[in-house]
Amino acid sequence: KIQLMKNKETVAVAMSGGVDSGVAAYLALQQGFEVVGIFLKMHDTPTDPELYSCCSKLGIKLVERDCRELFYDQVLFHSAKEYISGRTPNPCCTCNMLVKFAGLLSAADELGINQAWTGHYAQIFTGENGDFQLRKGVDTNKDQSYFLYRLTQKELSRIHFPLGTMCKSEVRSIAAKAD
């Protein structure tokens, strides 16, 4: 069981051990949030030791969720079935909707955390009528908005993409300065 600080707002950050998720967590810390890392295990391979190193360096707690069965059933098996039928689904779109964001927000809910951050290169704007609009990230070479198009208003209202306004070179620079 994770103890959260009562005097700080907490955000859940999807963590992979890579530079993008590490910088997303770092930026949340820089803005004064308490950060809890959420790692969604989707493969049988050993977890990258960089994940634990990154969380340790940042001084954040890490929660791990086993999503392998869901990933295999809802993404891999479904995609294989579609390919056999002559259709060409994009497994990343399905995975983001059914596994990654569902798992991230579910873990956040269990911990009593309302907001979730990820290292995706996309942006969310609020429209004139209060709806949330998913938009492309500034870095056209890294934009991931297409893979997120199935996210709902409910999900978009809880998510923040701090890297959406940056280029990958800026993210790498921040990571290098933060070690």
Side-chain angles (χ1 to χ4, degrees):
K1 181 90 173 145
I2 288 191
Q3 286 295 117
L4 301 177
M5 293 183 219
K6 294 183 185 205
N7 60 343
K8 270 191 168 185
E9 186 175 350
T10 306
V11 296
V13 178
M15 296 297 295
S16 66
V19 68
D20 296 330
S21 63
V23 169
Y26 173 79
L27 293 172
L29 290 168
Q30 292 300 301
Q31 290 185 31
F33 293 104
E34 178 181 9
V35 173
V36 175
I38 307 291
F39 173 68
L40 305 174
K41 185 170 180 70
M42 291 185 264
H43 305 284
D44 291 330
T45 56
T47 303
D48 186 346
E50 287 296 316
L51 171 65
Y52 303 110
S53 175
C54 179
C55 290
S56 177
K57 284 181 182 181
L58 292 171
I60 65 172
K61 300 166 185 119
L62 180 67
V63 172
E64 298 184 48
R65 292 286 186 258
D66 187 344
C67 296
R68 289 177 293 184
E69 188 175 326
L70 182 63
F71 179 71
Y72 288 118
D73 291 347
Q74 297 295 316
V75 180
L76 295 182
F77 179 75
H78 170 75
S79 294
K81 196 167 75 171
E82 289 295 297
Y83 289 136
I84 289 169
S85 299
R87 292 182 286 275
T88 55
N90 185 321
C92 294
C93 295
T94 303
C95 184
N96 276 305
M97 181 184 73
L98 297 178
V99 181
K100 288 183 181 178
F101 285 91
L104 173 63
L105 293 173
S106 174
D109 287 342
E110 289 173 21
L111 295 166
I113 300 171
N114 187 46
Q115 289 294 309
W117 292 30
T118 78
H120 284 91
Y121 289 84
Q123 299 183 79
I124 299 172
F125 288 90
T126 305
E128 289 179 18
N129 63 353
D131 65 328
F132 296 95
Q133 302 170 0
L134 178 66
R135 298 209 186 146
K136 290 181 179 182
V138 169
D139 189 335
T140 57
N141 292 319
K142 294 297 294 176
D143 172 58
Q144 295 170 304
S145 59
Y146 171 79
F147 300 106
L148 306 172
Y149 81 93
R150 294 176 74 181
L151 295 177
T152 66
Q153 288 292 300
K154 184 177 178 183
E155 292 159 335
L156 291 172
S157 72
R158 296 181 63 192
I159 297 167
H160 181 60
F161 301 129
L163 308 188
T165 59
M166 299 180 194
C167 291
K168 182 72 173 196
S169 59
E170 293 173 80
V171 171
R172 285 191 182 110
S173 177
I174 292 169
K177 289 176 188 166
D179 189 31

